[in-house]
Amino acid sequence: MKMGILYGMVARGQVVLAEFSATQTNASTVARQILEKMSQGKNDSNSSFSHDRYIFHVKRTDGLTVLCMADDASGRRIPFAFLEEIHQKFVKTYGRAIQSASGYAMNEEFSRVMSQQMEHFSTDPNADRLNRLKGEMSQVRSVMIDNIEKVLERGDRLELLVEKASTMQGNSLRFKQQSRRYKNAMWWSNCKITVTLILLLSLIIAYILFAFVF
């Protein structure tokens, strides 16, 4: 037997406006008993009732009751997410007509909607909003981690470029210092040669003068 959400109903008070069953069970009979039991209260509520291996989940809002039967493994979150979706679609589709509609007035059209939504919430993992949100958060976290890793890798590359730039700057500074020392050495060497030439020239002149006098 197919598992998940197996039966759905929408009612105003005890007047059933639409229902759909995915399998042959006595769910419709049990659902009417639940409607009769809940008709004594008027407050909005969310309730669950166990019956054999199944759980009947009921959402009552502003006089409109939405009910479903699901297997026990479905828990509560998915069935109530289904009920919330059905309630919103039903109110949006029929509006004020809900208040005066006769029994099963919307059944032909809306039973198909319930069938589609029962299939969706029973088989699609994204139908569970909390799990879908967790999945989206997980994807966001994965993207963030991926982006951070890329930034870190880029940071490593930037760091390496900075190190290379620092090395080039250091080499340039050493080259300038060596060039300055070389220029100083050349200047002193030129000074020495110049002084030596001057002294040698002075000696030659002095020798010529001395020879001419004597």
Side-chain angles (χ1 to χ4, degrees), residues 18 39 53 56 83 111-112 135 144-145 167 169 187 207-208 211:
S39 65
R53 295 177 296 128
F56 285 81
L83 295 178
S111 61
R112 292 194 294 269
M144 287 177 63
I145 292 173
T167 302
Q169 187 175 4
W187 186 82
Y207 177 78
I208 293 172

Side-chain angles (χ1 to χ4, degrees):
M1 179 183 293
K2 176 183 176 181
M3 305 302 283
I5 300 173
L6 305 171
Y7 171 82
M9 170 194 281
V10 181
R12 184 192 70 245
Q14 296 188 54
V15 179
V16 178
L17 301 176
E19 70 177 337
F20 178 80
S21 181
T23 184
Q24 293 183 350
T25 64
N26 64 340
S28 181
T29 302
V30 176
R32 281 165 173 75
Q33 294 174 356
I34 293 173
L35 287 179
E36 183 178 358
K37 180 179 179 180
M38 295 189 67
S39 65
Q40 301 173 3
K42 295 183 179 180
N43 296 330
D44 294 351
S45 62
N46 291 337
S47 308
S48 296
F49 305 89
S50 62
H51 179 75
D52 293 335
R53 295 177 296 128
Y54 303 105
I55 308 294
F56 285 81
H57 304 280
V58 187
K59 176 181 177 62
R60 186 167 63 180
T61 308
D62 298 329
L64 187 67
T65 301
V66 186
L67 177 152
C68 73
M69 183 187 78
D71 63 277
D72 189 38
S74 297
R76 285 173 54 87
R77 192 169 60 242
I78 292 177
F80 275 104
F82 164 79
L83 295 178
E84 177 66 25
E85 186 73 13
I86 290 297
H87 178 270
Q88 290 181 4
K89 287 182 178 296
F90 197 81
V91 172
K92 183 178 180 180
T93 302
Y94 301 109
R96 294 180 180 179
I98 296 172
Q99 302 302 323
S100 57
S102 59
Y104 289 95
M106 291 86 171
N107 191 67
E108 182 177 355
E109 180 182 22
F110 202 74
S111 61
R112 292 194 294 269
V113 176
M114 285 195 289
S115 174
Q116 293 169 357
Q117 292 302 310
M118 286 165 62
E119 179 72 20
H120 174 64
F121 278 84
S122 297
T123 60
D124 189 347
N126 291 325
D128 184 349
R129 291 183 179 180
L130 183 58
N131 284 339
R132 182 175 61 199
L133 182 60
K134 287 180 179 178
E136 291 173 354
M137 291 177 64
S138 177
Q139 289 178 350
V140 170
R141 186 168 60 249
S142 176
V143 171
M144 287 177 63
I145 292 173
D146 183 54
N147 288 340
I148 289 172
E149 288 179 348
K150 288 181 179 178
V151 169
L152 290 175
E153 290 174 0
R154 187 162 61 248
D156 290 341
R157 290 196 293 271
L158 288 173
E159 200 172 297
L160 183 61
L161 288 174
V162 170
E163 289 177 357
K164 289 182 177 178
S166 298
T167 302
M168 291 176 65
Q169 187 175 4
N171 291 337
S172 176
L173 182 60
R174 284 193 295 271
F175 178 76
K176 288 180 179 179
Q177 292 173 345
Q178 291 175 355
S179 297
R180 191 177 297 112
R181 285 196 296 268
Y182 179 76
K183 286 174 67 177
N184 290 338
M186 290 296 296
W187 186 82
W188 280 111
S189 178
N190 290 335
C191 285
K192 290 178 181 180
I193 293 172
T194 302
V195 170
T196 301
L197 289 173
I198 292 172
L199 289 175
L200 183 59
L201 186 58
S202 298
L203 288 174
I204 292 172
I205 294 172
Y207 177 78
I208 293 172
L209 290 174
F210 182 79
F212 181 76
V213 172
F214 295 97

